[in-house]
């Protein structure tokens, strides 16, 4: 499942899914990740830090135990605040990389870090 509210991002994602012959496996939906639904093993979110912080409780609610949250779109000076926020939802960092003034990180529940 892929969720996005930006019409351009939805269009590009659908095009990429089709180009990779994955239309039968990946649904691109034009609305935000809902708070309810199937549990997810991986959530990938390329969003700015304020949006990631707002969505943190939904990420935690939808992520299976031992699942991974992949975050990008983070400025280096915002990374510590985001990690603090996500720790409140029992998500701890297992990987981080900064490149070209952007940060990406992978987190999982504290029991599996």
């Amino acid at each position: 499942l892929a969720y996005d509210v930006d019409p351009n991002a939805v269009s590009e994602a659908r095009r990429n899914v089709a180009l990779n012959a994955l239309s039968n496996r990946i649904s691109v939906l034009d609305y935000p990740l809902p708070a309810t639904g199937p549990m997810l093993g991986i959530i990938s979110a390329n969003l700015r830090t304020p949006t990631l912080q707002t969505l943190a409780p939904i990420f935690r609610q939808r992520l299976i135990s031992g699942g991974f949250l992949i975050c990008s779109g983070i400025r280096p000076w915002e990374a510590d605040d985001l990690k603090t926020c996500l720790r409140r939802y029992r998500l701890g960092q297992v990987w981080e990389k900064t490149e070209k003034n952007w940060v990406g990180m992978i987190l999982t529940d504290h029991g599996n870090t």
Side-chain angles (χ1 to χ4, degrees), residues 51-64:
T51 305
L52 291 168
Q53 291 171 321
T54 299
L55 292 172
I58 294 173
F59 294 153
R60 176 67 266 176
Q61 187 171 333
R62 297 289 304 275
L63 197 62
I64 65 169

Side-chain angles (χ1 to χ4, degrees), residues 10 27 40 46-47 70 96 104:
V10 169
S27 298
L40 305 169
N46 181 32
L47 301 164
I70 303 167
E96 179 178 329

Side-chain angles (χ1 to χ4, degrees), residues 3 40 42-47 52 59 63 68-72:
Y3 300 90
L40 305 169
I42 299 173
I43 297 174
S44 177
N46 181 32
L47 301 164
L52 291 168
F59 294 153
L63 197 62
F68 293 95
L69 172 62
I70 303 167
C71 296
S72 57

Side-chain angles (χ1 to χ4, degrees), residues 71-90:
C71 296
S72 57
I74 306 155
R75 290 300 197 177
W77 56 87
E78 299 171 325
D80 287 340
D81 286 343
L82 179 60
K83 287 184 270 190
T84 298
C85 171
L86 294 172
R87 275 195 299 270
R88 288 193 291 265
Y89 295 96
R90 300 183 341 268

Side-chain angles (χ1 to χ4, degrees), residues 2-113:
Y3 300 90
D4 207 307
V5 296
D6 181 304
N8 292 326
V10 169
S11 176
E12 284 298 310
R14 286 180 176 156
R15 186 173 71 79
N16 287 328
V17 166
L19 284 172
N20 287 286
L22 294 170
S23 297
N24 62 333
R25 296 183 62 198
I26 299 173
S27 298
V28 180
L29 307 166
D30 58 354
Y31 52 88
L33 175 68
T36 60
M39 298 298 286
L40 305 169
I42 299 173
I43 297 174
S44 177
N46 181 32
L47 301 164
R48 291 302 314 277
T49 297
T51 305
L52 291 168
Q53 291 171 321
T54 299
L55 292 172
I58 294 173
F59 294 153
R60 176 67 266 176
Q61 187 171 333
R62 297 289 304 275
L63 197 62
I64 65 169
S65 179
F68 293 95
L69 172 62
I70 303 167
C71 296
S72 57
I74 306 155
R75 290 300 197 177
W77 56 87
E78 299 171 325
D80 287 340
D81 286 343
L82 179 60
K83 287 184 270 190
T84 298
C85 171
L86 294 172
R87 275 195 299 270
R88 288 193 291 265
Y89 295 96
R90 300 183 341 268
L91 294 167
Q93 178 185 329
V94 294
W95 179 88
E96 179 178 329
K97 182 170 183 171
T98 301
E99 188 173 309
K100 297 182 181 177
N101 215 22
W102 291 99
V103 177
M105 60 181 73
I106 300 174
L107 305 102
T108 191
D109 58 42
H110 283 302
N112 294 293
T113 57

